[in-house]
């Protein structure tokens, strides 16, 4: 079939007519798409930022393993090997008690005289570990604690645990609401399209008599669904974008130490993803109705 | 052009609408399909248009088996046939011009051709100057002409009309028949189901008579009633 310009004009005119005719339903569909994709957008931004925070923490976070004072060289070496081969551990560094004291003195600087009075080094030997993934830290620390010769294991327990709980909670609640709202959006769009089909049933009958192909008849309805989905997605993207700009401005003032993701190359996929998802929701919603109600 | 071989149509409620009908409509024919109400005229027309399938028998259009046609082929097949309905089936919100252009739009014709063909078809049916009006602003006879313009605008091989004069006064019907004759003169085959015996008698065209679903008479330049 040759698709003349008249056909394309026809498609767009029909689509716009339908959208205007079903204005309340259209608005409701767009609204639900907007809300679900808005939540998804927020979730993605939060996820991107927490992973940035976790990355920063990861580079800072280390596990300090303090050793008992009565170990000999071979025992220390043996422990070193054990730690190195522990799954999830990326780096192991031995810090002798002399070195620990030295770095402590350096960091104390001018207050050096406090330690001048010490006749003996009070610090134990220790290992400084880096993990491949912060989430593994609690597990690894618990394992190490059971090793012979280890007196104590210290790491940023509270921060990590809290962060993990928060991200987990955010993930589950937003994913659940996104799925529920996404399905609602698909359903509402399919109803909107069903109403459009109903309004145009007479025309559809005439089109069949005039030799219109099934795809020609279906296309404006698919287009209507795509327009609904895309409009909702566009609206969601704009709201998320503006909201995020405001939020990062606020954070830059109140919590400048937080590593906020603001680079456009990291954020663009989020907005693009929302738009694509909007189109998919629209396509899904209209396909359902077009195939069920336009048996031609 | 259209051949029916032993076509039988039994509807779901067991009513036999067509009973073993064999018929050949030749290219350029002008065929009146007559018979009492319930004889099966509309059913026959629907089967040719592939709106429904026969229970038994075959229908062949220009060598193509209509019964065994794939669903995807149906639209393209229908473009070869123009349909004129007793109840017009025009789109009320659209202008006359748009109604006629619609037949071209839905088959993907370019704007360039639509601008050429739609006015031509309106001219043939004598509706120049009324392009911008809506169907409700026209008389029944004029609406029927719009319907005919829409049916002929893409130059079909066959024009089917099911009781096109059913709602029209005798004078208007007569004008309409002249129009059909003119269209037939351009080479379009015409099949027209009708109860208008006066028209059939005066036109002296081929008459195919159905009764109770059976083909009871097929005469070149026949009359509405046998022996009239
Ligand atoms: N969709 C249908 N379902 C069941 N029976 C039908 C259907 N359509 C037609 N019939 C029956 O088939 C027979 C033929 O009907 P058809 O409409 O073809 O007659 P017709 O010759 O066009 O009559 P008329 O002159 O009144 O238009 C009738 O008995 C009718 O009741
Ligand atoms: Mg009939």
């Amino acid at each position: 079939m040759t698709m003349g310009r008249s056909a394309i004009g026809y498609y767009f005119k029909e689509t716009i007519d339908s959208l205007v005719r079903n204005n309340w339903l259209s608005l409701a569909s767009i609204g639900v798409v907007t809300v679900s994709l808005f939540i998804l957008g927020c979730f993605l931004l939060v996820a991107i930022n927490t992973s940035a925070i976790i990355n920063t923490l990861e580079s800072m976070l280390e596990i300090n393993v303090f050793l008992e004072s009565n170990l000999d060289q071979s025992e220390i070496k043996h422990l070193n090997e054990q730690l190195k081969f522990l799954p999830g551990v990326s780096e192991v560094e031995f810090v002798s008690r002399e070195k620990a004291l030295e770095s402590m003195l350096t960091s104390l600087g001018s207050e050096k005289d406090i330690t001048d009075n010490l006749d003996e080094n009070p610090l134990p030997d220790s290992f400084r570990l880096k993990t491949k993934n912060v989430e593994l830290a609690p597990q690894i620390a618990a394992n190490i604690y059971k090793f012979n010769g280890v007196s104590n294991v210290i790491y940023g327990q509270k921060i990590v645990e809290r962060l993990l709980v928060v991200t987990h909670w955010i993930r589950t609640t937003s994913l659940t609401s996104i799925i529920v709202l996404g399905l609602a959006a698909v359903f509402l769009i399919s109803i909107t399209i069903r109403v459009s089909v109903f309004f145009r049933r007479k025309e559809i009958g005439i089109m069949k008599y005039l030799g219109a192909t099934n795809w020609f008849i279906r296309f404006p309805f698919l287009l209507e669904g795509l327009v609904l989905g895309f409009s909702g997605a566009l609206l969601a993207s704009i709201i998320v974008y503006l909201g995020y700009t405001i939020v990062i401005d606020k954070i830059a003032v109140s919590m400048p130490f937080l590593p906020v993701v603001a680079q456009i190359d990291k954020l663009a996929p989020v907005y693009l993803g929302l738009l694509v998802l909007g189109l998919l929701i629209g396509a899904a919603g209209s396909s359902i109705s077009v195939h069920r109600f336009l048996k031609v | 052009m259209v051949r029916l071989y032993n076509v039988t149509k039994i509807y779901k409620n067991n009513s036999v609408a067509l009973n073993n009908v064999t018929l050949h409509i030749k290219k350029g024919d002008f065929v009146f399909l007559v018979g009492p109400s319930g004889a099966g005229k509309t059913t026959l027309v629907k089967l040719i248009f592939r709106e429904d399938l026969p229970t038994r028998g075959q229908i062949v259009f220009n060598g193509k088996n209509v019964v065994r046609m794939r669903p995807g082929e149906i639209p393209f097949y229908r473009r070869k046939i123009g349909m004129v309905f007793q109840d017009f089936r025009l789109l009320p919100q659209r202008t006359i011009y748009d109604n006629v252009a619609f037949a071209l739009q839905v088959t993907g014709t370019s704007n360039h051709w639509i601008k050429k063909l739609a006015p031509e078809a309106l001219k043939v049916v004598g509706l120049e100057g009324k392009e911008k009006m809506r169907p409700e602003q026209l008389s029944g006879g004029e609406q029927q002409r719009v319907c005919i313009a829409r049916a002929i605008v893409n130059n079909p091989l066959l024009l089917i009309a099911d009781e096109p004069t059913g709602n029209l006064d005798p004078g208007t019907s007569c004008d309409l028949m002249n129009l059909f004759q003119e269209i037939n003169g351009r080479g379009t085959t015409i099949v027209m189901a009708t109860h208008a015996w006066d028209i059939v008698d005066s036109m002296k065209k081929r008459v195919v008579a159905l009764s109770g679903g059976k083909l009871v008479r097929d005469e070149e330049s026949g009359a509405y009633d046998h022996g009239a």
Side-chain angles (χ1 to χ4, degrees):
Chain A
M1 185 182 82
T2 54
M3 197 193 283
R5 241 182 311 135
S6 76
I8 293 165
Y10 165 81
Y11 289 147
F12 281 100
K13 194 179 165 304
E14 287 312 306
T15 306
I16 290 166
D17 281 359
S18 267
L19 289 171
V20 172
R21 188 168 36 218
N22 306 342
N23 48 8
W24 285 110
L25 260 175
S26 299
L27 282 180
S29 307
I30 292 174
V32 175
V33 175
T34 305
V35 171
S36 51
L37 292 182
F38 171 75
I39 294 176
L40 177 65
C42 293
F43 162 70
L44 287 176
L45 289 176
V46 167
I48 286 178
N49 279 294
T50 39
S51 92
I53 292 171
I54 288 173
N55 270 335
T56 331
L57 281 179
E58 235 153 32
S59 57
M60 295 189 314
L61 190 88
E62 42 190 38
I63 303 178
N64 287 297
V65 181
F66 296 100
L67 307 182
E68 282 162 8
S69 51
N70 54 359
L71 303 182
D72 61 28
Q73 278 311 106
S74 71
E75 281 173 307
I76 290 175
K77 211 166 167 195
H78 176 67
L79 257 176
N80 195 349
E81 292 302 300
Q82 269 187 299
L83 292 174
K84 242 190 223 164
F85 290 105
L86 216 56
V89 172
S90 60
E91 238 180 273
V92 178
E93 190 195 348
F94 177 70
V95 182
S96 67
R97 49 203 298 250
E98 293 79 21
K99 208 164 141 207
L101 183 67
E102 207 176 293
S103 64
M104 194 172 120
L105 292 179
T106 330
S107 68
L108 285 176
S110 59
E111 289 158 82
K112 201 171 168 180
D113 31 308
I114 308 171
T115 50
D116 278 353
N117 316 350
L118 295 173
D119 32 331
E120 206 189 326
N121 182 352
L123 300 176
D125 288 329
S126 67
F127 283 107
R128 201 181 286 156
L129 309 192
K130 288 206 169 153
T131 56
K132 289 179 185 143
N133 187 338
V134 222
E135 292 179 33
L136 298 174
Q139 182 74 48
I140 292 172
N143 279 341
I144 296 172
Y145 201 72
K146 290 181 225 144
F147 287 0
N148 280 330
V150 172
S151 71
N152 204 358
V153 182
I154 292 177
Y155 70 102
Q157 238 156 331
K158 284 273 140 20
I159 304 176
V160 172
E161 274 164 14
R162 246 178 235 160
L163 209 59
L164 291 181
V165 169
V166 170
T167 50
H168 183 74
W169 184 81
I170 290 175
R171 201 172 291 167
T172 33
T173 48
S174 9
L175 278 182
T176 324
S177 41
I178 288 160
I179 290 171
V180 170
L181 282 166
L183 289 178
V186 169
F187 179 68
L188 250 178
I189 289 179
S190 84
I191 287 188
T192 312
I193 302 301
R194 201 188 302 188
V195 170
S196 295
V197 171
F198 177 79
F199 268 117
R200 296 188 48 218
R201 65 197 182 287
K202 200 179 158 197
E203 210 170 324
I204 291 170
I206 293 172
M207 287 167 88
K208 289 183 200 169
Y209 276 118
L210 296 176
T213 58
N214 291 352
W215 274 112
F216 188 93
I217 296 173
R218 284 171 180 161
F219 198 83
F221 297 108
L222 288 177
L223 200 63
E224 188 179 347
L226 289 178
V227 168
L228 291 173
F230 189 77
S231 310
L234 195 65
L235 218 60
S237 302
I238 292 172
I239 296 171
V240 170
Y241 174 81
L242 294 178
Y244 189 61
T245 315
I246 294 169
V247 168
I248 52 179
D249 281 352
K250 285 247 163 74
I251 288 178
V253 175
S254 57
M255 292 182 280
F257 51 87
L258 265 189
V260 206
V261 178
Q263 303 95 311
I264 193 68
D265 59 317
K266 288 206 181 122
L267 297 177
V270 173
Y271 300 118
L272 226 73
L274 293 184
L275 296 180
V276 169
L277 215 67
L279 286 175
L280 287 179
I281 288 175
S286 48
S287 305
I288 292 171
S289 284
V290 161
H291 285 108
R292 271 179 54 195
F293 299 96
L294 272 190
K295 289 270 179 248
V296 270
Chain B
M1 184 159 78
V2 189
R3 288 173 187 270
L4 282 77
Y5 297 102
N6 308 320
V7 170
T8 295
K9 176 68 187 178
I10 303 167
Y11 283 107
K12 285 204 184 70
N13 57 2
N14 282 327
S15 67
V16 182
L18 286 177
N19 191 349
N20 211 26
V21 173
T22 297
L23 177 65
H24 179 201
I25 298 163
K26 293 184 287 295
K27 189 176 184 317
D29 266 0
F30 193 131
V31 181
F32 282 117
L33 205 53
V34 301
S37 195
K41 304 181 293 293
T42 299
T43 303
L44 182 74
V45 160
K46 278 186 179 168
L47 292 183
I48 293 176
F49 196 58
R50 186 53 175 82
E51 214 186 309
D52 209 342
L53 286 168
T55 313
R56 280 191 295 278
Q58 299 299 331
I59 299 169
V60 177
F61 187 100
N62 273 351
K64 175 110 201 140
N65 191 314
V66 176
V67 178
R68 285 198 227 120
M69 199 176 278
R70 284 184 295 110
E73 295 178 274
I74 296 171
F76 299 95
Y77 169 66
R78 287 186 180 164
R79 291 176 195 185
K80 297 176 186 160
I81 302 174
M83 266 290 212
V84 178
F85 307 96
Q86 182 176 4
D87 59 352
F88 315 143
R89 303 201 191 171
L90 298 172
L91 294 166
Q93 312 90 340
R94 292 180 194 237
T95 64
I96 301 316
Y97 179 88
D98 286 345
N99 264 285
V100 175
F102 191 57
L104 296 169
Q105 276 178 338
V106 302
T107 54
T109 314
S110 72
N111 269 334
H112 174 76
W113 277 105
I114 293 177
K115 287 210 183 83
K116 215 168 126 54
L117 296 173
E120 262 175 34
L122 282 167
K123 191 158 173 246
V124 170
V125 301
L127 281 178
E128 312 114 294
K130 309 218 165 172
E131 290 89 350
K132 295 229 169 63
M133 296 175 111
R134 285 170 197 282
E136 79 224 9
Q137 297 171 296
L138 299 183
S139 73
E142 285 170 326
Q143 290 188 44
Q144 191 58 286
R145 282 164 187 274
V146 178
C147 189
I148 293 168
R150 185 180 64 186
I152 61 166
V153 70
N154 53 12
N155 201 19
L157 301 172
L158 173 66
L159 184 65
I160 298 177
D162 193 3
E163 297 188 41
T165 60
N167 293 326
L168 306 178
D169 67 75
T172 316
S173 301
C174 191
D175 290 346
L176 214 62
M177 291 321 296
N178 289 335
L179 177 57
F180 274 122
Q181 192 140 24
E182 192 190 324
I183 293 165
N184 182 234
R186 294 159 181 242
T188 306
T189 309
I190 293 182
V191 173
M192 177 174 153
T194 187
H195 290 291
W197 57 270
D198 46 341
I199 291 176
V200 177
D201 287 351
S202 67
M203 299 269 292
K204 307 235 177 318
K205 299 289 184 189
R206 183 176 169 191
V207 174
V208 171
L210 293 173
S211 181
K214 284 204 170 93
L215 196 156
V216 292
R217 187 156 57 95
D218 186 352
E219 289 173 354
E220 292 298 330
S221 80
Y224 189 83
D225 287 312
H226 187 57

